[in-house]
Amino acid sequence: MSTSLARRRTTAAALGLASALVLAACSNPTDGGTTEVANKSGATTKINISPDQNRVTTDKVDSIAAEVPEAIRKRGTLELVASSGSAAPLTFYATDNKTVIGVEPDLAHLVSDVLGLKPKINTVSWENIFVGLDSAKYDAGLSNITVTEERKEKYDFATYREDNLGFEAKKGSGLKVTGPADVAGKTVAVGSGTNQEKLLIEWNKENEKAGRKPVDIKYYQNDSDTYLALQSGRIDLYLGPNPTAAYHAATTGRTEVVGTYSGAGSTLQGLIAATTKKDSGLAKPLADALNHVIDNGTYAKVLKRWGLSDEAVTKSEINPPGLPRTNK
């Protein structure tokens, strides 16, 4: 399926998207450096969570490397930024609690290989990703950043994965979320400044307009506080990236994903993208590098090793349509 076709999926298709990380998981009893997560067919993906990653690599492509702005080429490093919040399997810490691993770091290394640069991954709070991009402290953000029409005013995007959101509830809650009415009167946690928050706020407006009870939106400093609130019943739902929700549900057995939704709303497939300051000159080489690794198969290997093959795209696009300003 082409990326353009994926972006035209309806709400029903987005709701039906199966994450590769569902149903069951267990730690390998003989190896504390791996976790096994079962996919929908019953097969398992063994995920390496040790600091020794043995990442997928590829060769430099001189013609694409030459597109990189001269200052970055001379420096020899690609300054990348990601959220410091632990969000497996996207970006999180290995068993040594200091090595940054996940699908985002793997893709950062792969793209850097093509560009002939050494990747330097900086982890900061979510809001400081954009502060750092604005000040040119960082060259690009690879941190599950959704393309939105509002963000396109300040940033350029090179897409690399589909964006799907997941509603996570305590296991056995009996809840199911398919639209705004299902969260009316519920207490829902969400990350501040995220497209998940934007979606939830829009749904809340729709509920109030329809005379339904409002959503009680809660914000927590970190995932551990959020999950503690979920287990204790202080919140009903947590809305976050679907890969993270599915991974957490599978590896803990305490929660379940009770609904998924496109990160760009009901009429558009959301897309995750490498994010750069507007007109920095990096969007094209990043997209070309991504398309190279998509074509040579190393991109697919990276997504497969993290159980995220279902969120693959067939082409990296520069600044495609994103989450609308008003999203229902």
Side-chain angles (χ1 to χ4, degrees), residues 79-322:
E79 293 288 337
L80 300 164
V81 63
S83 174
S84 56
S86 184
L90 302 176
T91 300
F92 63 114
Y93 293 103
T95 51
D96 63 356
N97 291 319
K98 63 180 180 180
T99 303
V100 179
I101 63 173
V103 68
E104 308 281 45
D106 271 14
L107 289 174
H109 278 263
L110 201 58
V111 166
S112 298
D113 285 347
V114 177
L115 300 179
L117 299 169
K118 183 178 180 180
K120 183 178 178 184
I121 300 175
N122 304 274
T123 54
V124 300
S125 60
W126 172 257
E127 64 275 9
N128 280 322
I129 291 175
F130 301 97
V131 172
L133 291 173
D134 292 345
S135 65
K137 183 177 182 180
Y138 309 119
D139 300 318
L142 273 81
S143 192
N144 203 59
I145 301 172
T146 304
V147 180
T148 76
E149 290 304 308
E150 184 175 1
R151 287 174 183 163
K152 280 163 66 175
E153 292 183 358
K154 295 179 66 176
Y155 308 103
D156 287 322
F157 295 94
T159 59
Y160 61 85
R161 213 180 72 247
E162 289 188 356
D163 174 34
N164 296 290
L165 310 180
F167 288 88
E168 193 173 359
K170 189 175 180 179
K171 195 165 186 177
S173 68
L175 297 175
K176 186 171 181 61
V177 179
T178 60
D182 297 317
V183 297
K186 300 292 189 295
T187 302
V188 185
V190 72
S192 178
T194 62
N195 71 306
Q196 298 97 272
E197 179 192 34
K198 181 177 172 63
L199 174 74
L200 194 58
I201 289 172
E202 292 290 343
W203 278 18
N204 192 41
K205 290 178 181 176
E206 186 172 334
N207 281 334
E208 290 181 333
K209 187 176 180 180
R212 305 184 192 113
K213 292 181 179 179
V215 180
D216 184 8
I217 301 175
K218 298 292 186 183
Y219 301 93
Y220 293 91
Q221 291 296 315
N222 53 59
D223 285 346
S224 59
D225 290 342
T226 303
Y227 288 125
L228 183 61
L230 195 61
Q231 286 301 310
S232 67
R234 284 181 285 132
I235 60 174
D236 300 303
L237 295 159
Y238 173 37
L239 174 58
N242 189 49
T244 302
Y247 182 96
H248 179 262
T251 54
T252 66
R254 299 177 183 174
T255 62
E256 59 187 345
V257 176
V258 296
T260 61
Y261 207 79
S262 166
S266 62
T267 60
L268 188 68
Q269 174 60 56
L271 293 169
I272 299 297
T275 306
T276 68
K277 188 176 181 178
K278 197 77 176 174
D279 300 323
S280 68
L282 261 180
K284 186 177 187 303
L286 286 172
D288 288 346
L290 285 162
N291 281 319
H292 178 76
V293 298
I294 288 170
D295 291 342
N296 74 12
T298 53
Y299 165 84
K301 290 180 180 178
V302 166
L303 266 63
K304 183 178 180 180
R305 77 186 293 253
W306 294 104
L308 294 177
S309 297
D310 284 346
E311 297 197 345
V313 296
T314 58
K315 180 181 179 182
S316 177
E317 298 179 273
I318 297 174
N319 296 334

Side-chain angles (χ1 to χ4, degrees), residues 38-97:
N39 63 27
K40 195 172 184 180
S41 68
T44 59
T45 297
K46 182 178 285 188
I47 294 178
N48 175 12
I49 57 174
S50 78
D52 302 316
Q53 282 293 289
N54 191 26
R55 287 187 168 98
V56 178
T57 62
T58 194
D59 294 329
K60 178 183 178 182
V61 179
D62 290 336
S63 59
I64 300 177
E67 299 172 4
V68 175
E70 184 178 5
I72 298 175
R73 280 189 280 118
K74 286 184 175 179
R75 186 207 303 152
T77 60
L78 191 61
E79 293 288 337
L80 300 164
V81 63
S83 174
S84 56
S86 184
L90 302 176
T91 300
F92 63 114
Y93 293 103
T95 51
D96 63 356
N97 291 319

